[in-house]
C-alpha cells in the first residue's frame, strides 16, 4: 500500500494547487477586463478541452499505464501556470485555460485507474475511492483560503508562480515514487476482480460482470453533478452579498469543502449500496439547489455546508458504483468516460450561469439538470447482474 500512500500525497498537493485557483480566477479575469459572460466562457472552455484528452486517456491509460500520464499532466500544468502569471489580456487567459484543460484531462482517469488496480477486492477498491475523495476534500478545505491569502500577500503574478512551481516539483517526485509495473501486470491480465458485496446487496452465482451490462445513462448523473457545482463555483465570487473580497470567496469554498469532509469521515457509509448512496445524495443536492433558487429563509452558510455533505456522499459512491459496473481490465476507459461526463457538465454550468443569470436564477438550472439525471436513474440499475438488493 506504499504506492497508495504516495499517490494520496501527490494527489493532495495537485488538488490543493488546482483548487487554490478557484476563488482567484474570477477576480483575476475581472482585473484583466473580462465581462461576466466571458468569465463563464473562460471557466467553461477548461472543461470542453478536457474532452479530447479524456478520449485519448480512455484508450491509452489502460495500454500504457497511469504513471506516465500523472507525471506528464502535473509537469505541463505547472508550466502553464508559470506562463499564466504574465498574461495581460482575457483572451490570453482563455487560451491558457483551454490548454490546461486538455493537459489535466489525463490526471483524474490515470489516478483513479491506478487506485482501482491496487486491489482486486471490490470492497477494498471502494475504500480506495473513498480515500481519494477524502484527500480531494482535505485539499479543497484548505486551498481556497490559502489561494486567497497568497493573492492578498503576493498578488496574482507571484501566486501563479508559486502554484506552478509546486506542481512541477510534485511531478518530479511522482516520477520517482509512483510504482506501477507490478500492479499493471497483475491486474490487467485478470479482467474480473474479486467481489465482496456491500451491505444491502448479495452475490448471486453464475453472473456476468462485463462492462457491456453498463447502462450509459448513469453518466447523466456526473453531468448533472458537475454542472450544478460549476454553477455554484461561478456564482459564489459574484454573489450580491459578496463585496468582492477574495477572502470572503475563499471562506465560502472552504465551508463547502468542510461539508464534504464531514460525510467522508463517516467511513461506515461506504459499507452501503453505492447505487443507493449515489441516488439519495443526488436527490438531496437537487432539493438544496431548489431551496437556493427559491431564496427560502435558510442560512446560506448552512446550505453550503449541506451541499458539501451531499457532495461528499455522492462522488465516492459514484466511483465505487462504476467499479462494480466495469470489467476489471477497463478501468481507464470507465474513468475516462466519467471524466468526459464531468467535463461536459463543468462546461455547461458556468456557461449557462453566465448567460442566464440576469433572467433566471442559475440555481434553478442546477435543480432542473439534477432532476433530469435522476429521472433517468430513479430506479438504480443493478450494479451488476450478480448483485440484488436486500433492502426492505
Amino acid at each position: 500500500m506504499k504506492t497508495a500512500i504516495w499517490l494520496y500525497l501527490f494527489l493532495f498537493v495537485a488538488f490543493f494547487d488546482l483548487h487554490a485557483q478557484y476563488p482567484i480566477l474570477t477576480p483575476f479575469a475581472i482585473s484583466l477586463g473580462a465581462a461576466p459572460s466571458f468569465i463563464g466562457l473562460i471557466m467553461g472552455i477548461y472543461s470542453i478541452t478536457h474532452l479530447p484528452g479524456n478520449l485519448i486517456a480512455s484508450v491509452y491509460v489502460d495500454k500504457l499505464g497511469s504513471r506516465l500520464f500523472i507525471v506528464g499532466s502535473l509537469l505541463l500544468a505547472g508550466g502553464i501556470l508559470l506562463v499564466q502569471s504574465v498574461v495581460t489580456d482575457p483572451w490570453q487567459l482563455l487560451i491558457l485555460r483551454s490548454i490546461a484543460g486538455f493537459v489535466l484531462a489525463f490526471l483524474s482517469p490515470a489516478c483513479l485507474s491506478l487506485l482501482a488496480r491496487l486491489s482486486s477486492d471490490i470492497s477494498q477498491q471502494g475504500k480506495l475511492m473513498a480515500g481519494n475523495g477524502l484527500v480531494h476534500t482535505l485539499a479543497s478545505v484548505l486551498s481556497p483560503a490559502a489561494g486567497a491569502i497568497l493573492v492578498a500577500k503576493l498578488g496574482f503574478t507571484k501566486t501563479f508562480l508559486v502554484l506552478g512551481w509546486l506542481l512541477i516539483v510534485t511531478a518530479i517526485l511522482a516520477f520517482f515514487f509512483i510504482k506501477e509495473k507490478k500492479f499493471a501486470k497483475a491486474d490487467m491480465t485478470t479482467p474480473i476482480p474479486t467481489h465482496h458485496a456491500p451491505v444491502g446487496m448479495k452475490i448471486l452465482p453464475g453472473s456476468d460482470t462485463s462492462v457491456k451490462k453498463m447502462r450509459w445513462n448513469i453518466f447523466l448523473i456526473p453531468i448533472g453533478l458537475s454542472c450544478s457545482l460549476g454553477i455554484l463555483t461561478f456564482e459564489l465570487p459574484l454573489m450580491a452579498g459578496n463585496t468582492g473580497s477574495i477572502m470572503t470567496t475563499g471562506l465560502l469554498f472552504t465551508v463547502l469543502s468542510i461539508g464534504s469532509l464531514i460525510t467522508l469521515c463517516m467511513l461506515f457509509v461506504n459499507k452501503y449500496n453505492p447505487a443507493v448512496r449515489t441516488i439519495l445524495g443526488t436527490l438531496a443536492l437537487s432539493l438544496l439547489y431548489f431551496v437556493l433558487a427559491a431564496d427560502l429563509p435558510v442560512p446560506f452558510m448552512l446550505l453550503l455546508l449541506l451541499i458539501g455533505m451531499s457532495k461528499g456522499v455522492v462522488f465516492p459512491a459514484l466511483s465505487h458504483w462504476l467499479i462494480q459496473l466495469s470489467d476489471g481490465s477497463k478501468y481507464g476507459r470507465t474513468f475516462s468516460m466519467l471524466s468526459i461526463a464531468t467535463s461536459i457538465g463543468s462546461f455547461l454550468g458556468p456557461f449557462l450561469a453566465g448567460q442566464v443569470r440576469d433572467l433566471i436564477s442559475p440555481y434553478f438550472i442546477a435543480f432542473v439538470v439534477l432532476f433530469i439525471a435522476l429521472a433517468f436513474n430513479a430506479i438504480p440499475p443493478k450494479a451488476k447482474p450478480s448483485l440484488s438488493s436486500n433492502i426492505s
Side-chain angles (χ1 to χ4, degrees):
M1 299 306 291
K2 288 182 179 180
T3 297
I5 295 172
W6 279 114
L7 187 58
Y8 284 146
L9 176 61
F10 297 137
L11 282 172
F12 176 83
V13 175
F15 287 138
F16 180 92
D17 197 298
L18 297 174
H19 282 274
Q21 299 179 58
Y22 283 175
I24 65 179
L25 273 176
T26 295
F28 180 58
I30 291 174
S31 73
L32 296 176
S37 59
F38 195 80
I39 294 172
L41 180 60
I42 289 174
M43 297 177 68
I45 198 69
Y46 176 89
S47 301
I48 281 296
T49 54
H50 253 50
L51 295 177
N54 291 149
L55 290 172
I56 296 172
S58 68
V59 176
Y60 289 102
V61 167
D62 287 325
K63 289 184 178 180
L64 303 178
S66 299
R67 182 167 170 262
L68 172 66
F69 293 103
I70 293 172
V71 173
S73 293
L74 292 173
L75 189 63
L76 292 173
I80 290 169
L81 278 176
L82 297 183
V83 178
Q84 187 172 302
S85 67
V86 296
V87 301
T88 57
D89 183 83
W91 283 100
Q92 294 174 349
L93 181 60
L94 178 70
I95 293 171
L96 285 175
R97 291 293 292 171
S98 65
I99 298 173
F102 176 79
V103 166
L104 288 168
F106 300 91
L107 184 60
S108 181
C111 290
L112 292 174
S113 178
L114 179 56
L115 278 175
R117 289 195 177 100
L118 293 180
S119 174
S120 60
D121 186 322
I122 201 164
S123 296
Q124 183 65 24
Q125 289 171 329
K127 293 177 183 178
L128 290 169
M129 292 301 114
N132 173 70
L134 182 60
V135 168
H136 191 160
T137 302
L138 282 171
S140 61
V141 166
L142 301 174
S143 56
I149 292 172
L150 282 174
V151 170
K153 298 289 185 180
L154 304 176
F156 290 115
T157 297
K158 290 184 179 179
T159 296
F160 288 130
L161 284 174
V162 169
L163 296 177
W165 281 114
L166 183 61
L167 279 182
I168 291 173
V169 171
T170 303
I172 295 172
L173 293 174
F175 177 81
F176 290 104
F177 290 103
I178 290 182
K179 306 298 181 183
E180 184 186 19
K181 288 185 179 179
K182 58 182 179 181
F183 297 110
K185 182 178 180 180
D187 287 293
M188 288 182 184
T189 57
T190 307
I192 301 177
T194 303
H195 298 288
H196 290 175
V199 173
M201 307 181 81
K202 65 182 180 181
I203 298 179
L204 300 178
S207 58
D208 179 11
T209 57
S210 172
V211 73
K212 295 178 181 178
K213 299 295 184 180
M214 181 180 293
R215 282 175 27 175
W216 296 105
N217 55 308
I218 187 178
F219 291 106
L220 290 175
I221 292 179
I223 290 175
L225 292 172
S226 57
C227 178
S228 62
L229 290 174
I231 288 172
L232 188 62
T233 300
F234 177 83
E235 283 295 311
L236 287 183
L238 299 176
M239 283 173 49
N242 183 358
T243 60
S245 166
I246 296 178
M247 292 296 295
T248 303
T249 304
L251 175 62
L252 294 176
F253 279 106
T254 298
V255 170
L256 186 68
S257 299
I258 288 174
S260 298
L261 184 61
I262 291 173
T263 47
L264 284 167
C265 288
M266 300 177 182
L267 300 180
F268 66 90
V269 175
N270 298 318
K271 298 179 181 179
Y272 294 92
N273 187 334
V276 174
R277 282 186 281 142
T278 302
I279 297 301
L280 293 181
T282 305
L283 176 62
L285 271 176
S286 64
L287 295 177
L288 289 168
Y289 277 106
F290 179 80
V291 173
L292 280 174
D295 199 20
L296 297 178
V298 180
F300 185 73
M301 287 292 191
L302 176 61
L303 287 175
L304 280 183
L305 187 70
L306 293 175
I307 288 174
M309 292 179 69
S310 301
K311 176 173 170 279
V313 169
V314 172
F315 280 95
L318 181 60
S319 296
H320 193 185
W321 189 8
L322 287 172
I323 287 177
Q324 290 186 338
L325 291 167
S326 300
D327 186 326
S329 63
K330 293 182 173 63
Y331 292 131
R333 181 177 302 176
T334 299
F335 288 118
S336 293
M337 290 300 299
L338 175 61
S339 293
I340 289 171
T342 302
S343 298
I344 293 172
S346 297
F347 169 76
L348 290 175
F351 179 78
L352 291 175
Q355 300 301 317
V356 308
R357 70 189 311 267
D358 294 330
L359 303 174
I360 189 174
S361 170
Y363 297 127
F364 183 74
I365 302 296
F367 163 74
V368 171
V369 171
L370 285 170
F371 248 84
I372 290 174
L374 283 172
F376 285 90
N377 294 275
I379 300 176
K382 296 177 182 178
K384 54 183 186 290
S386 59
L387 297 179
S388 63
S389 177
N390 280 337
I391 300 176
S392 57

